[in-house]
Amino acid sequence: MTALPSAIADARALLERLGVDPAALDGGALAARSPVTGEVLARLREHTADEAGRAIETAHQAYLAWRKVPAPRRGELVRLLGEELRAAKTDLAALVTLEAGKVTSEGLGEVQEMIDICDYATGLSRQLFGLTLATERPSHRMMETWHPLGVVGVISAFNFPVAVWSWNAALAFVCGDAVVWKPSEKTPLTALAVQALFEKARAKFGPDAPDGLSALLIGGRAVGEALVDHPKVPLVSATGSTAMGRQVGPRLAARFARALLELGGNNAAIVAPSADLDLTLRGVAFAAMGTAGQRCTTLRRLFVHDSVYDAFVPRLKAAYASVPVGDPRADGVLVGPLVDKAAFDAMQAALDQARAAGGAVTGGARVDIAGPDAFYVAPALVEMDRQADIVRHETFAPILYVMRYGDLADAIAAQNDVAQGLSSSIFTLNLREAELFVSSEGSDCGIANVNIGPSGAEIGGAFGGEKETGGGREAGSDSWKAYMRRATNTINHGTTLPLAQGVTFDV
Ligand code: UN1
């Protein structure tokens, strides 16, 4: 029994309004659960590896046609997708809340990120340009052109169940690619809804957007492997754990396919002596507790300067003690549930290890909001005297390890002294400290911020990180280049054949 209103009827109604066939929702082996109430919302049939192979073949055929459509026209399809997302924003966001447990404003924010990337990609569809380069040969021209790549495989995680697909897919479609998506087994329903919205946009676009341009694979390892191993998938963009990346990366390398990996993060922030502590408190609170600590950019390690530690950390603890945890559908709630029991168990095991390493834990206990099948917790703040092993480990839950520092160089070294390299921040009003942090001697992460927490990046920048985070970049800047192939063209408009490097070969 759940103490909260059931999520089942609401989820079914949302799915129907979003265009998902109700017949697809029952009778299968994959249980789609709501972390909000712990209820099973639907039971979906999983695709077989053979079906995955057929979907990839169809997507390849779709790509062969789609690559002939001019890029700005391809942008029109993505513009139409953005229109569908605008119209469906509240429904899709509500479904994200029910299936992933995000609070309402974060569910809406996730769909807004999808709309933003569609707008971005629509504009980009007129800007897929290459360079003209100086050639050493007379009467020659050298240039580069960017061509569509093929079928792009997208593997996404539960915590951004729809936005991650869109960062990849919106770019891939304007680049002339087809997309085959394997969403997390924990969040198949939002994926079905997005696929239905895409098909609405495709119908409005007309016959130039072929069948199978976007395909969805529901299931686990078998369909994931089919996608990773298929010779007609030249790029797989995979978001998830470092453990998953260790499986996917070498398999792609073995067949010389491209990997775009967005894996674990163990993101830190430094609170310097001059930090604006009011702003820092808000930045740290959102980054560490928001999304119940289940973003890859979540703040997990905090280095606080000795001179402000005693002024700042008690205020932060008070924020932890008072943050509203509960039904993510309810007004005012800031922290919703963990995704499942495994996440809860991992959090408790991490806290036990932290205690064993001398950590002083505040919070972290289970909160009974919706009975035994839903896993709500009070976010945990753990004061540590050093960066023990558990601190170097990414636990996908709201645990913030807080440590003191005296010297900024030591704090930067400690922040970099983990296997992951996604996101990082410094809170300071000191120009030298801020510039050092974002310099080549500063943070070694893909994202380095000043007076902003490490989470909540906009789509306009390239998103991703270094080291065990996998090195991939998605979304803005020149990330689109990963979804195309570059050709260098040299054209001789003269009547002689001068060879490069002065080589002679007169037959
Ligand atoms: C993730 O958690 O998988 O910067 C990505 C952010 C979001 C993306 C998070 N825009 O927090």
Side-chain angles (χ1 to χ4, degrees), residues 80-102:
L80 290 168
L81 174 62
E83 294 289 293
E84 295 300 332
L85 289 165
R86 277 188 172 82
K89 182 175 174 182
T90 49
D91 281 352
L92 184 58
L95 193 63
V96 167
T97 291
L98 293 181
E99 196 180 35
K102 290 193 177 190

Side-chain angles (χ1 to χ4, degrees), residues 102-110 113 159-160 267 269 277-302 312 315-316 319-320 323-324 333-336 379-381 397-400 423 425 427 449 451-458 463:
K102 290 193 177 190
V103 298
T104 299
S105 85
E106 291 197 47
L108 288 165
E110 170 148 9
E113 268 191 73
N159 66 327
F160 274 80
N267 316 296
L277 294 185
D278 293 337
L279 181 148
T280 304
L281 186 70
R282 293 206 308 278
V284 167
F286 168 66
M289 296 190 282
T291 330
Q294 299 172 112
R295 288 194 191 214
C296 53
T297 50
T298 290
L299 175 59
R300 307 199 182 279
R301 299 178 294 138
L302 191 67
F312 182 69
R315 288 182 65 188
L316 187 59
Y320 266 69
V323 71
V333 167
L334 295 179
V335 176
L381 186 156
I399 302 175
L400 178 66
S423 190
S425 302
F427 290 89
N449 295 335
N451 294 330
I452 303 172
S455 73
E458 317 175 9
F463 181 86

Side-chain angles (χ1 to χ4, degrees), residues 109-155:
E110 170 148 9
V111 182
Q112 186 59 47
E113 268 191 73
M114 302 178 80
I115 295 167
D116 293 343
I117 196 76
C118 285
D119 286 355
Y120 178 89
T122 302
L124 187 68
S125 70
R126 290 182 184 270
Q127 300 172 75
L128 303 171
F129 44 73
L131 301 172
T132 303
L133 303 130
T135 157
E136 67 194 54
R137 285 168 280 187
S139 302
H140 280 54
R141 184 163 65 85
M142 184 159 61
M143 64 177 189
E144 59 186 20
T145 39
W146 291 88
H147 297 296
L149 188 63
V151 177
V152 175
V154 176
I155 296 174

Side-chain angles (χ1 to χ4, degrees), residues 19-359:
V20 175
D21 178 4
L25 300 179
D26 295 295
L30 179 65
R33 288 180 187 278
S34 172
V36 179
T37 60
E39 295 164 302
V40 174
L41 300 173
R43 290 185 190 277
L44 305 180
R45 194 179 72 74
E46 296 189 33
H47 289 116
T48 64
D50 279 354
E51 286 171 323
R54 283 199 291 280
I56 293 164
E57 289 291 346
T58 306
H60 178 74
Q61 293 303 318
Y63 146 72
L64 294 178
W66 186 236
R67 67 182 178 174
K68 292 190 251 177
V69 176
R73 179 90 185 108
R74 301 193 298 248
E76 171 63 8
L77 173 65
V78 173
R79 193 190 68 78
L80 290 168
L81 174 62
E83 294 289 293
E84 295 300 332
L85 289 165
R86 277 188 172 82
K89 182 175 174 182
T90 49
D91 281 352
L92 184 58
L95 193 63
V96 167
T97 291
L98 293 181
E99 196 180 35
K102 290 193 177 190
V103 298
T104 299
S105 85
E106 291 197 47
L108 288 165
E110 170 148 9
V111 182
Q112 186 59 47
E113 268 191 73
M114 302 178 80
I115 295 167
D116 293 343
I117 196 76
C118 285
D119 286 355
Y120 178 89
T122 302
L124 187 68
S125 70
R126 290 182 184 270
Q127 300 172 75
L128 303 171
F129 44 73
L131 301 172
T132 303
L133 303 130
T135 157
E136 67 194 54
R137 285 168 280 187
S139 302
H140 280 54
R141 184 163 65 85
M142 184 159 61
M143 64 177 189
E144 59 186 20
T145 39
W146 291 88
H147 297 296
L149 188 63
V151 177
V152 175
V154 176
I155 296 174
S156 60
F158 79 87
N159 66 327
F160 274 80
V162 288
V164 166
W165 171 82
S166 71
W167 305 336
N168 288 282
L171 264 54
F173 292 136
V174 301
C175 290
D177 303 327
V179 176
V180 179
W181 179 20
K182 189 207 121 24
S184 165
E185 293 142 274
K186 295 174 188 172
T187 52
L189 298 178
T190 43
L192 285 170
V194 167
Q195 176 68 10
L197 293 173
F198 175 83
E199 289 302 338
K200 279 190 202 170
R202 194 171 71 86
K204 287 186 182 157
F205 183 82
D208 282 354
D211 269 354
L213 186 60
S214 170
L216 183 59
L217 302 177
I218 298 293
R221 202 182 171 93
V223 290
E225 286 180 353
L227 191 58
V228 168
D229 292 340
H230 200 290
K232 287 191 179 135
V233 181
L235 165 66
V236 173
S237 171
T239 302
S241 66
T242 296
M244 179 274 287
R246 276 193 215 289
Q247 305 277 319
V248 167
R251 290 174 86 129
L252 292 169
R255 64 178 182 87
F256 300 100
R258 292 187 198 170
L260 198 169
L261 301 176
E262 300 287 358
L263 310 174
N266 194 352
N267 316 296
I270 294 171
V271 183
S274 65
D276 173 338
L277 294 185
D278 293 337
L279 181 148
T280 304
L281 186 70
R282 293 206 308 278
V284 167
F286 168 66
M289 296 190 282
T291 330
Q294 299 172 112
R295 288 194 191 214
C296 53
T297 50
T298 290
L299 175 59
R300 307 199 182 279
R301 299 178 294 138
L302 191 67
F303 298 98
V304 184
H305 192 267
D306 278 327
S307 65
V308 288
Y309 194 97
D310 294 331
F312 182 69
V313 175
R315 288 182 65 188
L316 187 59
K317 280 188 187 168
Y320 266 69
S322 64
V323 71
V325 177
D327 183 345
R329 297 168 292 187
D331 280 350
V333 167
L334 295 179
V335 176
L338 295 177
V339 70
D340 57 15
K341 180 173 188 302
F344 174 75
D345 290 345
M347 178 177 179
Q348 298 309 309
L351 292 177
D352 286 346
Q353 278 189 59
R355 282 188 196 97

